[in-house]
């Protein structure tokens, strides 16, 4: 009878078949833990590999085997791990912990172990290889702001930056990605444990007490761990925050202005994450409307004083501001020499007009930052060290973004200024930023205003300077001789890499450099030939401008040195030399300021260019330009700490002889100017824009 009382199931065969078909073996929890630890360990090392560089030694150098191994990629990676025991330095552990938290958060969101492994591995592989290429080309790692390239539709342009010797790595990375994804899909299909935390979302199992307990546990764990991770990353870039103090207590030693040094020393993941959240700049004590109105009146008086001695207006001239990509005198780098001058024409031009050396915030990269300073007069030295690229992190969010081209717009709203760049318009968010700066047109290699007849030299990748200069002359020819514009130009010819592009390179035979590696020599000789092409093209361009019957002034400058001087870079005493480029301000024959030379010009930084151009042209200034004129006289050049070779030092300030100025020993008048600068920059960048309603940016138009 009892047997008959047992419940009778209908379709027992179907039930049994279903159980046998879907019942799959589940891995032991210990296996998941071992795989997770191994994955994160390998990911930490691979991410670090992306920012390391192979050692290069001068030809004939005698290097002992131990040193060669320690300097090799394997040796550097081994030291990154073993320094926990040899030096009690736990930077590897800190990066391992951070990646572990990211992996756990991803796992709690997806709740599928093998899918999580596939996604996490894919991101790490792409990140590490992208880092490897960017370090090769620009001597800087991937930063959060670079993600704007992808969101801005620049994937094609980014791929074009893969160096020729990186194709095999890219192919290997793709093959590795495919293999890992297929392997994880296979394991996901064969592993009986579908959910790491088994949760059912179907009735009636959904409301079961045990199921609700698992759901609550999963989401509470996610909220706690994700909240901790978010709070840690959010505060990591801020001084004296709990996140930074926690990281410092473990091993972190930030070098924010030296991004590649930071990544190599502290770990690529930590260097990346500390830049996720940026603080533009701290609010100056005493910042309010009264203070800013008082500053406006102060420099209005200073502008009136200066303008009594000036006889022309800025808008009486066409001003062409040319950022010459990576342009600088290679013979000024310690150890580099040629028995032939790569830049005789520009050297001669510099001797006859306002010229000198520009202190750059970058080495091997940072173009957009130098351009930003030149167009706005704002200095990176005043911003928080976590703000790495204002073009991408600041300008898009600004309600008011004054720039010097707007001086010409005030007189000619429809066509007072235009920009020209012989590359793609979305790099560094230029298209959006130029609209914010109110350029009427932006000519580039793509988009509505597309440049034509742009050609490289021989087998090089980028547009020649001759093509760029011809495009400028063509665009100027579309305006009447009596019209005046501000023209912003960024060239590309001398952009890295430098892979023996030129057919007839006389600098291979003229190279007398000493103590450098063979690869370094090849890069430098190619770069020197590019400098020579720029030299002759620039001279021809200025000759064409001399034939025009309209006053034209050219502000020409190199943005940074190329990151090819590996030997010189190893010596910290060479830091300043590797951050000094060439510049000149020149006026054509139709200009009253032809062959003029400003009183103080030996050293500068790009934030001063428009103030210097005003002096060069004897042009009247706005209160803002009056301030920058006084600031330049007091502190001829300024930059971020990395320009001195030590990211942990104070900002770099140079006198007109290129000597460092001790900020603690500056006279009170100079300290007041620096304080005023911070007030002005804060108000423009993130403050209440009190200066917008004054005449602080207005120059005389008559």
């Amino acid at each position: 009878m009892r047997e008959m009382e047992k419940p009778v199931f209908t379709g027992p065969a179907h039930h049994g078949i279903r159980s046998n078909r879907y019942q799959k073996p589940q891995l032991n929890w210990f296996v998941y833990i071992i795989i997770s630890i191994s994955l994160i360990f390998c990911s930490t090392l691979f991410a670090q590999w992306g920012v390391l560089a192979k050692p290069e030694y001068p030809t004939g150098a005698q290097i002992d085997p131990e040193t060669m191994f320690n300097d090799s990629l394997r040796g550097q990676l081994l030291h990154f791990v073993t320094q926990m025991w040899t030096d009690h330095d736990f930077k590897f552990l800190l990066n391992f912990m951070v990646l572990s938290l990211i992996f756990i958060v991803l796992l709690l969101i997806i709740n599928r172990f093998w899918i999580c492994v596939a996604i996490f591995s894919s991101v790490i592989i792409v990140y590490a290889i992208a880092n490897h290429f960017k370090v090769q080309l620009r001597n800087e790692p991937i930063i959060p702001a670079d993600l704007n390239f992808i969101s801005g539709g620049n994937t094609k342009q980014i791929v074009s930056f893969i160096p020729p010797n990186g194709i095999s790595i890219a192919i290997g990375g793709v093959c590795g990605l495919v293999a890992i994804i297929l392997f994880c899909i296979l394991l996901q299909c064969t592993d009986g444990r579908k959910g790491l935390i088994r949760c059912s979302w179907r009735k009636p199992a959904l409301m079961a007490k045990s199921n609700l307990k698992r759901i609550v546990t999963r989401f509470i764990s996610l909220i706690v761990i994700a909240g901790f991770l978010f709070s840690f990353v959010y505060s990591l870039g801020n001084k004296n925050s709990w996140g930074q103090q926690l990281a410092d207590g473990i091993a972190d030693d930030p070098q924010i202005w030296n991004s590649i040094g930071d990544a190599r020393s502290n770990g690529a993941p930590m260097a990346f994450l500390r830049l996720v959240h940026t603080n533009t700049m701290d609010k100056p004590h005493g910042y309010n409307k009264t203070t800013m109105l008082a500053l406006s009146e102060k420099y209005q008086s200073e502008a009136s004083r200066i303008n009594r001695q000036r006889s022309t207006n800025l808008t009486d001239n066409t001003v062409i501001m040319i950022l010459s990509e990576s342009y600088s005198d290679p013979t000024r780098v310690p150890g580099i020499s040629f028995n032939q001058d790569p830049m005789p024409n520009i050297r001669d031009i510099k001797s006859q007009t306002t010229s000198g050396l520009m202190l750059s915030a970058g080495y091997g990269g940072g173009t957009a930052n130098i351009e930003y300073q030149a167009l706005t007069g704002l200095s990176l030295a005043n911003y928080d060290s976590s703000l790495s690229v204002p073009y991408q992190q600041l300008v898009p969010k600004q309600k008011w973004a004054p720039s010097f081209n707007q001086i010409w717009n005030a007189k000619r709203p429809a066509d007072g200024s235009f920009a020209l760049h012989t590359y793609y318009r979305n790099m560094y968010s230029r298209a959006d930023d130029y609209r914010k700066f109110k350029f009427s047109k932006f000519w580039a290699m793509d988009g509505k205003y597309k440049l034509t007849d742009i050609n490289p030299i021989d087998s090089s990748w980028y547009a020649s300077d001759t093509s760029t200069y011809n495009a400028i002359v063509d665009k100027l020819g579309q305006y009447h001789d009596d019209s005046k514009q501000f023209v912003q130009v960024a060239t590309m010819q001398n952009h890295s890499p430098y892979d023996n592009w030129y057919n007839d390179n006389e600098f291979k035979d003229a190279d007398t450099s000493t103590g450098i590696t063979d690869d370094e020599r090849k890069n430098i000789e190619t770069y020197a030939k590019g400098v020579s092409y720029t030299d002759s093209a620039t001279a021809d361009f200025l000759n064409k401008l001399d034939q025009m019957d309209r006053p034209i002034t050219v502000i020409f400058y190199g943005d940074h040195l190329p990151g090819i001087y590996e030997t010189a870079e190893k010596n910290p005493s060479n830091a300043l030399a590797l951050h000094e480029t060439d510049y000149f301000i020149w006026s054509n024959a139709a200009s009253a300021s032809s062959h003029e030379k400003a009183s103080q010009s030996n050293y500068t930084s790009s934030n001063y260019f428009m103030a210097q151009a005003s002096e060069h042209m004897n042009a009247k200034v706005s209160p803002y330009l009056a301030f920058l004129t006084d600031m330049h006289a007091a502190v001829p050049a300024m930059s971020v700490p990395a320009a001195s070779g030590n990211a942990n030092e104070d900002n770099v300030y140079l006198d007109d002889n290129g000597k460092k100025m001790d900020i603690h020993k500056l006279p009170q008048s100079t300290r007041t100017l620096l304080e005023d600068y911070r007030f002005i920059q804060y108000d423009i960048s993130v403050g209440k824009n009190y200066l917008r309603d004054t005449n602080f940016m207005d120059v005389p138009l008559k």
Side-chain angles (χ1 to χ4, degrees):
M1 293 293 294
R2 289 182 179 177
E3 290 290 342
M4 296 180 62
E5 291 175 355
K6 291 182 179 180
V8 178
F9 295 98
T10 57
H14 293 289
H15 181 79
I17 291 172
R18 183 174 181 179
S19 299
N20 292 334
R21 181 180 298 173
Y22 291 95
Q23 190 65 37
K24 299 175 183 177
Q26 296 182 357
L27 294 177
N28 189 286
W29 283 101
F30 184 72
V31 175
Y32 293 113
I33 294 173
I34 293 299
I35 292 174
S36 299
I37 293 174
S38 301
L39 171 66
I40 297 166
F41 181 89
C42 294
S43 297
T44 306
L45 286 182
F46 195 51
Q48 193 62 16
W49 165 84
V51 299
L52 300 179
K54 291 183 179 179
E56 298 288 346
Y57 304 108
T59 303
Q62 300 295 320
I63 310 297
D64 64 90
E66 182 179 356
T67 300
M68 290 187 68
F69 176 78
N70 291 336
D71 290 346
S72 68
L73 294 180
R74 286 187 300 169
Q76 293 179 66
L77 289 174
L78 181 63
H79 173 72
F80 189 60
V81 177
T82 59
Q83 64 183 342
M84 290 190 291
W85 298 280
T86 59
D87 304 327
H88 300 289
D89 191 326
F90 298 95
K91 291 183 173 65
F92 172 84
L93 182 61
L94 179 60
N95 285 268
F96 181 91
M97 291 167 56
V98 169
L99 289 183
S100 298
L101 290 174
I102 295 173
F103 179 78
I104 292 171
V105 169
L106 184 63
L107 186 56
L108 287 170
I109 293 173
I110 298 175
N111 201 30
R112 296 291 186 273
F113 182 79
W114 298 112
I115 294 177
C116 180
V117 169
I119 294 174
F120 187 83
S121 301
S122 300
V123 171
I124 292 296
I125 289 173
V126 171
Y127 169 69
I129 293 177
N131 248 335
H132 179 73
F133 291 152
K134 191 179 180 188
V135 168
Q136 271 192 311
L137 291 173
R138 306 184 62 177
N139 198 46
E140 60 185 18
I142 298 292
I143 62 174
D146 291 332
L147 301 181
N148 289 339
F149 286 162
I150 299 174
S151 63
N154 293 287
T155 307
K156 180 180 178 181
Q157 295 92 302
I158 296 171
V159 171
S160 72
F161 280 140
I162 297 177
N165 61 355
I167 300 299
S168 60
I169 294 177
I171 294 174
V174 171
C175 293
L177 273 176
V178 172
I180 289 174
I181 291 172
L182 291 177
F183 183 68
C184 288
I185 291 175
L186 176 64
L187 289 173
Q188 178 64 31
C189 293
T190 57
D191 188 358
R193 197 185 305 277
K194 296 302 180 182
L196 194 67
I197 300 178
R198 188 161 52 89
C199 302
S200 176
W201 301 98
R202 297 179 180 179
K203 295 180 179 180
L206 175 62
M207 301 308 297
K209 185 176 181 180
S210 59
N211 186 64
L212 288 175
K213 185 183 296 185
R214 288 191 292 268
I215 292 175
V216 171
T217 300
R218 175 184 169 189
F219 279 95
I220 289 178
S221 300
L222 176 60
I223 291 171
V224 170
I225 298 174
F228 174 84
L229 180 62
F230 175 83
S231 179
F232 175 75
V233 172
Y234 188 86
S235 65
L236 192 59
N238 299 330
K239 295 178 180 178
N240 302 319
S241 66
W242 77 268
Q244 187 188 60
Q245 290 178 354
L246 175 61
D248 291 352
I250 297 175
D252 200 33
D253 184 20
Q255 301 178 35
I256 298 177
W257 281 118
N258 181 12
S259 58
I260 185 61
D262 193 26
R264 287 173 176 169
S265 174
N266 295 298
M270 282 297 296
F272 179 89
L273 291 175
R274 79 170 87 258
L275 296 177
V276 167
H277 173 252
T278 58
N279 174 35
T280 303
M281 62 185 298
D282 293 332
K283 182 179 179 180
H285 179 70
Y287 172 77
N288 53 47
K289 184 175 183 179
T290 301
T291 299
M292 298 316 300
L293 293 180
L295 277 178
S296 179
E297 292 180 8
K298 174 181 178 181
Y299 291 106
Q300 174 62 58
S301 299
E302 182 63 10
S304 298
R305 183 191 68 80
I306 293 174
N307 290 340
R308 284 194 290 270
Q309 304 169 24
R310 304 279 178 94
S311 59
T312 66
N313 298 315
L314 282 171
T315 52
D316 293 339
N317 304 263
T318 289
V319 171
I320 308 173
M321 183 176 282
I322 301 175
L323 183 157
S324 186
E325 172 63 42
S326 299
Y327 186 86
S328 66
D329 181 358
T331 65
R332 215 172 39 249
V333 176
I336 308 303
S337 61
F338 298 92
N339 58 25
Q340 181 173 332
D341 190 354
M343 46 176 286
N345 293 302
I346 289 180
R347 207 179 300 281
D348 182 58
I349 293 167
K350 289 182 64 176
S351 69
Q352 300 179 45
T353 190
T354 300
S355 66
L357 299 180
M358 184 204 80
L359 179 62
S360 174
Y363 168 70
T367 298
N369 291 343
I370 311 306
E371 180 183 312
Y372 171 79
Q373 292 188 150
L375 286 174
T376 65
L378 304 175
S379 173
L380 265 69
N382 287 329
Y383 285 133
D384 188 88
S385 55
S386 64
L387 184 73
S388 53
V389 188
Y391 261 15
Q392 295 170 279
Q393 297 169 296
L394 173 62
V395 177
K397 299 183 292 186
Q398 285 183 274
K399 295 180 180 179
W400 179 45
S403 53
F404 293 125
N405 63 291
Q406 294 171 29
I407 294 172
W408 281 259
N409 291 351
K411 195 169 186 178
R412 299 176 61 91
D415 59 4
S417 62
F418 66 88
L420 188 151
H421 179 38
T422 43
Y423 203 61
Y424 300 102
R425 65 182 59 247
N426 284 330
M427 292 298 283
Y428 287 112
S429 302
R430 278 192 178 95
D432 292 334
D433 291 345
Y434 284 172
R435 278 194 293 269
K436 185 67 72 74
F437 289 157
K438 299 181 180 179
F439 283 101
S440 60
K441 293 179 181 178
F442 175 23
W443 295 90
M445 299 295 288
D446 59 349
K448 180 179 179 181
Y449 300 107
K450 186 174 182 179
L451 293 169
T452 57
D453 298 323
I454 303 298
N455 304 296
I457 300 172
D458 298 334
S459 59
S460 63
W461 289 1
Y462 303 113
S464 68
D465 283 350
T466 296
S467 293
T468 305
Y469 291 150
N470 288 342
I472 299 171
V473 172
D474 176 65
K475 302 311 172 193
L476 288 177
Q478 298 176 13
Y479 297 94
H480 297 294
D481 286 346
D482 60 348
S483 66
K484 311 295 186 300
Q485 284 83 30
F486 179 96
V487 185
Q488 161 62 25
V489 179
T491 73
M492 282 295 291
Q493 176 187 289
N494 294 315
H495 197 289
S496 61
Y498 310 99
D499 194 26
N500 196 24
W501 303 126
Y502 306 117
N503 296 336
D504 300 311
N505 188 353
E506 67 274 21
F507 292 95
K508 292 182 179 180
D509 298 323
D511 191 350
T512 56
S513 304
T514 58
I516 61 175
T517 67
D518 291 340
D519 283 348
E520 194 175 357
R521 188 180 301 277
K522 180 189 71 173
N523 288 332
I524 292 170
E525 288 169 353
T526 300
Y527 173 73
K529 181 60 176 177
V531 168
S532 178
Y533 276 126
T534 297
D535 183 70
S536 57
T538 303
D540 291 342
F541 173 61
L542 297 187
N543 286 335
K544 290 179 180 178
L545 297 184
D546 249 340
Q547 307 307 312
M548 294 186 177
D549 189 23
R550 69 173 85 170
I552 301 174
T553 292
V554 174
I555 304 170
F556 174 98
Y557 67 99
D559 53 341
H560 56 74
L561 276 73
I564 57 178
Y565 303 111
E566 299 168 6
T567 302
E569 187 185 1
K570 292 177 181 177
N571 187 344
S573 64
N574 295 332
L576 273 180
L578 295 177
H579 285 82
E580 294 173 350
T581 70
D582 295 82
Y583 88 95
F584 64 78
I585 302 175
W586 172 95
S587 296
N588 69 346
S591 173
S593 53
S594 179
H595 298 294
E596 289 293 325
K597 192 173 180 69
S599 59
Q600 183 169 328
S601 63
N602 292 331
Y603 279 83
T604 192
S605 42
S606 60
N607 53 307
Y608 294 134
F609 280 150
M610 190 52 63
Q612 288 181 273
S614 299
E615 181 184 359
H616 172 87
M617 293 183 283
N618 197 34
K620 297 176 181 179
V621 295
S622 64
Y624 183 37
L625 285 171
F627 161 75
L628 289 173
T629 301
D630 291 350
M631 189 76 253
H632 183 239
V635 182
M638 62 172 58
S639 189
V640 297
S644 68
N646 188 339
N648 294 318
E649 290 184 355
D650 294 326
N651 289 326
V652 181
Y653 302 102
L654 301 182
D655 63 21
D656 203 41
N657 295 314
K659 303 298 182 183
K660 286 187 182 180
M661 304 171 69
D662 187 343
I663 188 173
H664 303 293
K665 297 180 180 179
L666 295 176
Q668 184 57 48
S669 58
T670 301
R671 293 188 185 186
T672 299
L673 283 168
L674 288 170
E675 183 179 359
D676 290 349
Y677 207 168
R678 284 187 286 272
F679 276 108
I680 293 167
Q681 191 151 329
Y682 181 84
D683 185 73
I684 293 172
S685 302
V686 291
K688 299 292 186 179
N689 300 155
Y690 295 122
L691 293 174
R692 184 177 190 176
D693 298 325
T694 70
N695 62 352
F696 193 70
M697 297 294 174
D698 298 341
V699 299
L701 298 179
K702 293 182 179 180

